[in-house]
Amino acid sequence: MLTTTDTVSLTGPLDSAALRRAAAPLTVTVDHRARARLDRGRRLFRDLRQGTGGEAPRIYGATTGFGALAGYAGRPDPADQCDNTLAHLGAGQGPDLPPEISRAALLLRTWSLAQGLSGVSAEVVDRLAAMFATTFSPAVPRYGSVGASGDLIPLAYATQALRGRGHAYVAGRRMPAAEALTAAGLRPLALDGRDALALVNGTSVTTAATALARDSVRASHRALTELTCLLADLLGCDPGFLDEDLLRAHNHPGAIEVGARMRRTLTGTAPSGTRPLQEPYSIRCAPQLLGAAEDALRYVDGVVAADLGGVSDNPLFFPGGDGGDGGGRGDGGGAGEGPAKDTADGAAAPGRVVHGGNFFGQPAAFAADLLASVTAQLGNLAERQLDLLTDPARNGGLPPMLATTPGIQHGLQGVQLATTAFVAEIRRAAAPAGMQSLPTNLHNQDVVPFGTQAALRSYDMAELLGLLCGSLALGLRQAVHVGARRPTAPGCAGLLDALSHAIPPVDPDRPLDADVRAAARLLATRGGP
């Protein structure tokens, strides 16, 4: 049953929490301000195309072909132009994207269109909004976008599914899209060429995947900060490596903030006095590593916020006159409106069409590449901490692999092997995508950002990072079972109790894949210091 927390307005700002909620049914509202923007933008598109008040300008995709063929005339019938827009983009391959990405991308596309700068009909936005109240999700293949003219191929598949073509999911079941629409109580979407082009000519898949990946990595960052404190407490480490003056001398805001969080979590800890003067870097340098990650994540936060509040489309239609609320962004700011232009008789011109490159996903590409680097180093830290914890030469005398009876039992040996594989996979995927430009489309797209690849790769890596954190958490829970001291800091004891409540000790050996996933889910929903 929907609640007020399951409502998203197309007038207010969009955030990643709304994108996450789009995985399940929610209410998307099109209020009078959004409708006024849409109606005004649609009238402007029609007036410009018809040459009302003067000579009709060329409008990409409405009177022309697409991409490298924009120098040729398009199809004169608007419905036929819609088919032409979408049909040639049906070239994607590979497995379907996760429905949570497909629906998040469509929510972002709906918000962008609702700002009134794309010239689409209000009917399109109304019908998209209606979809979100159901479990309908288009089947969108993973491969095919270069993120340069928007996510053309993935968004074309999503649009075709809404028209009843291709495939879609309803309640998690894949079926022909026409059947899915019927099952969801939806009607096929009717579009003209402008509507169709506006639906595909944006970076919504790239931005949605980057935002969801960022949220997941942030959750792992919070979890790893807390798990590092629990590790230090269980081993009896001296918390001097978190000294406030020490970290202020380092002069990096992220390290200062992370160190403060860790000191709060470790408040009340009692060092054992048996540890080395200087801990391994996976403990001693954790505030510097986690702090650098925090600084980098803040950059990603800024890019995601800008993309969520921006319009990625081409061309855009800007009204003449004072603009009012009809042509601005969701905050009513009127961003992007040009000065009014007067006709020869002194009357205000209807507005203008501007062709450009807002669909070029370079900002998200750079952000997703940076997110991948952060993910890789956080994964390194989690894996090294688990390795330290399972090694009797460094774990304060606990049994090898945290096994209750080494040889008879094998404890965390399988989990430790798996974390090595996870880290290797993360490292393999971490190569930057945003600088590997490859010309295409008869050199119309002679430089491309590959933001879609960067974003989807970061989304996959974020899942592996969550499993690495879950693996470390399982090891910390097991360490107490095989002889580590109970945490002396109340903050650490609370985390251990939560883990112990969710996961039984490994005694005797059992498959631990489900336990790792359970620990990862607990950490993702728990929050952090």
Side-chain angles (χ1 to χ4, degrees):
M1 181 176 181
L2 296 178
T3 67
T4 54
T5 60
D6 297 313
T7 299
V8 172
S9 168
L10 296 180
T11 294
L14 198 63
D15 59 21
S16 60
L19 299 187
R20 294 195 305 273
R21 299 202 321 270
L26 79 165
T27 298
V28 175
T29 62
V30 187
D31 66 13
H32 71 279
R33 288 175 293 174
R35 197 169 301 282
R37 291 195 302 267
L38 285 161
D39 290 344
R40 183 175 184 176
R42 187 64 166 182
R43 286 194 305 271
L44 174 55
F45 162 66
R46 287 176 173 168
D47 288 346
L48 287 169
R49 183 174 184 181
Q50 294 167 7
T52 302
E55 182 181 355
R58 288 187 301 166
I59 301 176
Y60 171 69
T63 60
T64 73
F66 307 105
L69 305 182
Y72 297 85
R75 300 184 184 184
D77 179 76
D80 199 21
Q81 183 78 331
C82 165
D83 288 335
N84 192 27
T85 305
L86 300 173
H88 81 282
L89 294 173
Q93 301 289 349
D96 293 339
L97 294 179
E100 71 169 359
I101 291 181
S102 298
R103 282 178 60 96
L106 279 177
L107 179 60
L108 182 55
R109 200 83 215 107
T110 304
W111 188 93
S112 180
L113 298 180
Q115 305 318 299
L117 299 179
S118 296
V120 301
S121 66
E123 173 71 8
V124 170
V125 173
D126 284 336
R127 299 285 293 283
L128 286 168
M131 183 214 75
F132 287 104
T134 76
T135 61
F136 182 94
S137 181
V140 178
R142 180 180 181 117
Y143 302 116
S145 175
V146 297
S149 187
D151 298 309
L152 291 172
I153 286 177
L155 288 173
Y157 276 85
T159 303
Q160 290 285 53
L162 289 162
R163 300 175 74 210
R165 308 180 187 194
H167 290 80
Y169 296 85
V170 172
R173 188 165 68 89
R174 197 178 195 269
M175 63 186 78
E179 295 179 19
L181 288 170
T182 299
L186 301 170
R187 290 182 290 115
L189 187 60
L191 305 169
D192 65 12
R194 169 84 291 262
D195 293 332
L197 183 60
L199 276 163
V200 304
N201 224 6
T203 58
S204 301
V205 173
T206 298
T207 298
T210 301
L212 294 174
R214 184 279 311 267
D215 287 358
S216 181
V217 173
R218 272 219 166 271
S220 292
H221 181 269
R222 290 191 299 270
L224 193 50
T225 300
E226 198 172 13
L227 292 171
T228 301
C229 292
L230 179 55
L231 173 64
D233 198 347
L234 294 184
L235 295 179
C237 302
D238 190 307
F241 65 97
L242 297 170
D243 183 84
E244 182 175 5
D245 290 336
L246 176 79
L247 295 178
R248 287 198 177 279
H250 188 50
N251 200 37
H252 287 272
I256 293 169
E257 180 177 323
V258 168
R261 292 185 214 161
M262 295 179 73
R263 287 194 301 275
R264 287 194 297 270
T265 302
L266 280 166
T267 298
T269 189
S272 66
T274 61
R275 296 293 297 172
L277 174 64
Q278 297 194 130
E279 294 290 345
Y281 285 13
S282 59
I283 295 175
R284 186 179 9 139
C285 299
Q288 288 80 10
L289 188 159
L290 292 166
E294 174 63 32
D295 288 333
L297 287 171
R298 288 174 181 171
Y299 171 78
V300 179
D301 292 343
V303 173
V304 167
D307 272 359
L308 291 179
V311 175
S312 61
D313 199 354
N314 178 56
L316 295 182
F317 301 86
F318 296 100
D322 60 6
D325 191 47
R329 291 166 45 186
D331 57 10
E337 295 178 7
K341 295 183 180 180
D342 292 336
T343 59
D345 61 4
R352 57 199 178 103
V353 57
V354 182
H355 296 84
N358 284 6
F359 50 44
F360 196 82
Q362 194 71 67
F366 285 154
D369 282 343
L370 180 57
L371 191 61
S373 294
V374 170
T375 301
Q377 187 65 332
L378 294 179
N380 290 334
L381 180 62
E383 187 275 335
R384 286 294 83 198
Q385 289 181 347
L386 181 62
D387 182 77
L388 184 158
L389 191 60
T390 56
D391 183 356
R394 296 178 293 148
N395 67 10
L398 299 175
M401 294 298 173
L402 305 179
T404 52
T405 310
I408 304 298
Q409 306 293 340
H410 293 80
L412 273 287
Q413 183 163 269
V415 169
Q416 198 269 337
L417 282 170
T419 61
T420 304
F422 298 161
V423 166
E425 183 65 19
I426 287 174
R427 289 180 181 178
R428 183 195 64 79
M435 41 67 71
Q436 298 188 33
S437 181
L438 188 65
T440 187
N441 198 232
L442 301 184
H443 289 268
N444 170 50
Q445 298 182 23
D446 57 348
V447 59
V448 301
F450 287 120
T452 322
Q453 285 83 351
L456 294 175
R457 174 274 321 270
S458 292
Y459 179 88
D460 293 341
M461 293 171 64
E463 181 179 8
L464 289 172
L465 178 59
L467 294 174
L468 282 163
C469 290
S471 301
L472 175 59
L474 180 63
L476 291 164
R477 188 265 177 271
Q478 179 69 3
V480 175
H481 179 70
V482 296
R485 72 178 193 174
R486 179 167 174 80
T488 55
C492 294
L495 174 57
L496 177 66
D497 289 344
L499 291 169
S500 298
H501 179 75
I503 303 167
V506 184
D507 189 6
D509 287 344
R510 66 175 186 275
L512 295 173
D513 48 357
D515 295 277
V516 168
R517 293 193 297 271
R521 286 193 300 272
L522 185 153
L523 294 170
T525 57
R526 172 182 167 82

